[in-house]
Amino acid sequence: MGFLYKYLPADLADVIFTKDDEVILKFSKPKDFNDPYELFLATDFGGDPEMLACYAEAIGELPQYPTTCFSRSPIVIPMWAHYAYNHNGFVIEFSEEAIREEFPETRFDNVAYKDGPAHDFSDLVGRVLHIAKPRYTYFLQGAVVNAAYFTKSTCWTYEQERRMVVGDEDVRVSGDLMLMNIPGACVSSIICGARATLKTKIALKEVAKRFSADFYELRIGRTSAVPYLVDSKEKAHLFSDTEIVPSKNSCASCSEPIEEDEEECAWCQITDETKRTVAIKNPYRIIDHYGGLEKYIAGMQAIGRAARKKK
């Protein structure tokens, strides 16, 4: 057990954080997920129609349990782009252990990413077909439900998904929505996106304070493609496998994590004198000074087109 990360758009901040210091999470049935292959189990039992018919008869219509999805990481760039609306939103970090204490019947598991059959049910289906004892049907149904709820195509691997599955009695229905109120004590931190507005930052910082949770801002650095986090005191943090930890060293000017023997990152070490020296040596500036830059670029483009035609 560790931490779970929920990516959300900024406009939901006023909706999901209640005055009773709870977080409202939306649940969905798998048939309503954005992946049309949810609950899809590729299998053909070697083309044996009797085995396939037995399999279909035994599992019937797979049950639809309320499900919500988390990531196991708060620094997945595509997740920030898709679910937190291009870094304008935020991420809630939950303690899975705390949620389990509040809702002990809840089922959590990681999603396995596969493009083929995740499990071979041949033995169980054969027992159902030829032995016909009810316990084998029971075992088959349990195995199939588990595989269906926690298996997705490999194209979704980047999400690093972990799912929370509950019973119908655990959620409340509000219009077309299935909702669950999670105690604020289950929230360990709130992370606002790199492009979040000042209004969003202030609102989320207040929520974090109210929940006694940590507050971070996601930052996109210049020395590494891996984003980092800064707390309210501009102290840099990194996500290390399963949790957010303080960086051992960071740039004194921009806070980006750097090597331990450096005081500033390479970008912040650039001086005005360095900029002037490099500018003087820039050949484009020299050509442009004499008014020939556009002609030079046009000539180079013509050479490139001619080279491509010869291939």
Side-chain angles (χ1 to χ4, degrees):
M1 287 186 288
F3 297 100
L4 308 166
Y5 298 94
K6 192 75 168 178
Y7 290 76
L8 296 160
D11 58 5
L12 282 187
D14 293 334
V15 177
I16 67 169
F17 297 118
T18 71
K19 294 180 180 179
D20 296 324
D21 289 347
E22 293 179 318
V23 181
I24 300 175
L25 288 187
K26 175 178 173 289
F27 283 70
S28 301
K29 300 291 181 71
K31 64 182 177 62
D32 298 320
F33 285 2
N34 60 1
D35 180 5
Y37 283 93
E38 289 290 349
L39 301 191
F40 175 79
L41 293 172
T43 185
D44 63 8
F45 300 111
D48 186 330
E50 190 176 27
M51 288 279 282
L52 279 171
C54 176
Y55 172 76
E57 169 65 22
I59 65 171
E61 185 78 18
L62 282 174
Q64 294 281 325
Y65 298 122
T67 304
T68 194
C69 307
F70 302 91
S71 177
R72 302 191 304 278
S73 169
I75 57 170
V76 182
I77 295 299
M79 295 289 282
W80 277 103
H82 300 157
Y83 296 102
Y85 284 25
N86 202 21
H87 294 261
N88 288 289
F90 60 101
V91 163
I92 305 175
E93 179 189 67
F94 291 94
S95 165
E96 182 178 321
E97 182 178 3
I99 294 179
R100 285 179 181 272
E101 288 179 0
E102 295 287 339
F103 308 98
E105 299 301 317
T106 296
R107 170 72 188 278
F108 283 99
D109 210 341
N110 292 340
V111 168
Y113 298 96
K114 298 178 180 294
D115 289 327
H119 301 275
D120 183 1
F121 300 113
S122 300
D123 181 63
L124 273 174
V125 172
R127 289 171 183 265
V128 172
L129 178 62
H130 300 295
I131 301 176
K133 289 187 176 181
R135 66 171 178 266
Y136 294 126
T137 299
Y138 176 83
F139 293 151
L140 176 62
Q141 289 179 340
V144 169
V145 167
N146 182 72
Y149 271 79
F150 299 102
T151 303
K152 291 183 72 171
S153 301
T154 56
C155 61
W156 298 96
T157 303
Y158 70 89
E159 291 186 337
Q160 301 181 49
E161 188 173 340
R162 187 167 177 82
R163 289 184 170 177
M164 175 181 177
V165 182
V166 301
D168 288 325
E169 69 280 0
D170 296 316
V171 298
R172 58 185 173 84
V173 177
S174 178
D176 295 331
L177 302 177
M178 291 187 298
L179 307 172
M180 176 186 277
N181 286 39
I182 306 294
C186 297
V187 176
S188 47
S189 71
I190 296 176
I191 306 163
C192 72
R195 294 175 176 167
T197 65
L198 179 60
K199 180 182 178 181
T200 297
K201 291 179 183 179
I202 292 173
L204 292 175
K205 192 175 291 186
E206 179 58 33
V207 171
K209 182 179 179 181
R210 207 171 73 228
F211 284 12
S212 297
D214 294 324
F215 175 80
Y216 301 101
E217 292 183 41
L218 186 82
R219 295 279 176 86
I220 306 299
R222 295 181 293 180
T223 62
S224 171
V226 179
Y228 63 101
L229 310 169
V230 295
D231 61 20
S232 299
K233 297 181 180 179
E234 287 293 310
K235 173 67 178 177
H237 291 68
L238 297 167
F239 181 71
S240 178
D241 295 328
T242 60
E243 61 181 335
I244 298 170
V245 297
S247 173
K248 293 181 179 179
N249 189 40
S250 58
C251 175
S253 298
C254 70
S255 298
E256 183 171 4
I258 54 176
E259 296 294 331
E260 293 186 48
D261 58 347
E262 297 288 340
E263 183 176 344
E264 290 185 315
C265 69
W267 286 96
C268 290
Q269 291 180 42
I270 297 175
T271 64
D272 289 340
E273 180 60 31
T274 303
K275 292 178 182 179
R276 283 193 293 270
T277 300
V278 171
I280 291 172
K281 295 180 179 179
N282 183 352
Y284 264 32
R285 286 183 178 272
I286 297 172
I287 297 172
D288 187 51
H289 178 74
Y290 291 101
L293 185 58
E294 290 186 10
K295 182 178 180 180
Y296 172 78
I297 293 175
M300 293 300 292
Q301 290 174 338
I303 292 172
R305 287 192 294 269
R308 287 192 294 272
K309 286 181 179 180
K310 291 181 179 180
K311 291 183 179 180

